[in-house]
Amino acid sequence: MATQSLDSVIQHPERRYVEVERLDDLEAFLAIIEKGSQAAASRHLRRPLQSLNRSLLALERAVGVELVKRTTRRSEPTEAGRVFYERIRPAVAAIIEARNEAVNIRGEVSGLLKIGAPGLFASAHVAPIIGHFLKLYPNVEIELRANDEQVDLLAEGLDIAVRIGESVDESLVARRLHALRVVTFGAPSYFSEHGRPKHPSDLEHHHCILRAGADLFDNWPFHIGGKLEAIPVRGRFRSNSAAAIRVAASEGVGLARLPL
């Protein structure tokens, strides 16, 4: 069967815009002025362009005045923006330096770290390295929450999360960790009763195990002839648990689609 490659991403909810005077917004403004454009500032800070633009808009709303004149290729400070830049630049630099110094003092790292990850990934990859992490940071406590749903990180109180697939929240900063193959598979008992599909289009005539929340039909993506195509599938069993889907597929309930 054809496969699809998805990315595991790690996400940080503290980078969401909660307060308009956040340091991230000030850093974005300084970078735009110093680099001459939002695109250059985006590359410098390694932040998405949309995220950078939201920071600038939030800061301008907080100050109550336009700080930057945008053109197609350039971003130049207004008179108010130039004065604001000169006043905050030393303060922001001092804050960043102090923050970096604090981060580098390993012995003072303490508190509760709440981590989110999909169920199977949490048990196979996250849980085994927690012991080593706790030895490095003896004043840290860890709470690992296994959930296959892409929950709201802030609402759940998570500090960091590992996810499989694309981010559904562009206000979070994500870093790709690795690529996973996603495969469609079934049990020998299912194939002996219903036959083995030879092409992704054959799935329309098979029982498939769907993710909970899907309608009567779902669409599974496949690379066919160099192009990405969505194949409609249907089934009588749905679950939001990858572990449950795997067990159901092993019992011959239907074909499933999971990371290899």
Side-chain angles (χ1 to χ4, degrees):
M1 301 295 294
T3 64
Q4 183 192 23
S5 177
L6 292 178
D7 292 338
S8 292
V9 295
I10 191 166
Q11 301 182 322
H12 303 267
E14 71 273 10
R15 300 300 292 273
R16 193 196 294 268
Y17 304 103
V18 180
E19 301 173 356
V20 291
E21 298 89 0
R22 290 190 58 85
L23 181 60
D24 285 348
D25 298 342
L26 297 174
E27 284 185 292
F29 169 69
L30 293 179
I32 291 170
I33 301 303
E34 293 168 358
K35 299 302 177 181
S37 71
Q38 292 191 48
S42 173
R43 292 191 295 270
H44 174 70
L45 295 177
R46 296 182 179 180
R47 286 179 54 183
L49 188 59
Q50 288 183 331
S51 171
L52 205 74
N53 185 55
R54 282 196 293 268
S55 272
L56 180 58
L57 292 174
L59 188 61
E60 288 181 329
R61 284 196 299 268
V63 177
V65 66
E66 184 183 34
L67 298 173
V68 177
K69 291 181 179 179
R70 289 85 151 173
T71 63
T72 305
R73 296 182 179 179
R74 296 285 300 172
S75 297
E76 299 180 351
T78 62
E79 180 61 23
R82 184 186 62 78
V83 173
F84 188 69
Y85 169 81
E86 295 295 337
R87 292 295 299 272
I88 70 168
R89 183 164 57 103
V92 173
I95 293 173
I96 293 175
E97 183 179 358
R99 179 184 63 184
N100 292 338
E101 289 179 356
V103 169
N104 290 331
I105 303 176
R106 174 178 293 178
E108 294 185 6
V109 177
S110 62
L112 175 62
L113 178 64
K114 296 182 179 180
I115 305 173
L120 291 177
F121 189 91
S123 59
H125 299 287
V126 181
I129 65 174
I130 286 179
H132 177 65
F133 185 88
L134 291 175
K135 289 180 180 179
L136 289 176
Y137 302 97
N139 296 323
V140 172
E141 299 177 16
I142 290 181
E143 179 179 317
L144 176 59
R145 298 184 184 180
N147 193 327
D148 289 339
E149 299 292 332
Q150 288 207 18
V151 298
D152 186 305
L153 272 64
L154 282 180
E156 295 296 320
L158 296 175
D159 299 300
I160 193 170
V162 181
R163 287 177 170 169
I164 298 175
E166 300 294 334
S167 172
V168 297
D169 191 340
E170 293 183 354
S171 67
L172 303 180
V173 174
R175 181 165 65 90
R176 175 182 173 182
L177 298 178
H178 206 275
L180 293 177
R181 291 181 61 202
V182 176
V183 298
T184 302
F185 64 96
S189 60
Y190 177 88
F191 293 136
S192 64
E193 182 177 354
H194 301 281
R196 184 185 298 268
K198 301 182 181 302
H199 189 272
S201 60
D202 296 339
L203 294 176
E204 298 182 41
H205 309 293
H206 282 267
H207 301 292
C208 296
I209 302 174
L210 310 181
R211 285 282 184 177
D215 295 327
L216 182 62
F217 289 90
D218 197 3
N219 291 295
W220 286 0
F222 290 88
H223 286 286
I224 304 175
K227 296 182 179 180
L228 186 64
E229 295 187 22
I231 303 299
V233 298
R234 64 184 302 170
R236 299 168 54 202
F237 177 66
R238 300 172 178 81
S239 176
N240 66 344
S241 167
I245 291 175
R246 184 177 64 176
V247 170
S250 70
E251 294 296 325
V253 173
L255 303 179
R257 181 176 178 273
L258 289 174
L260 183 60

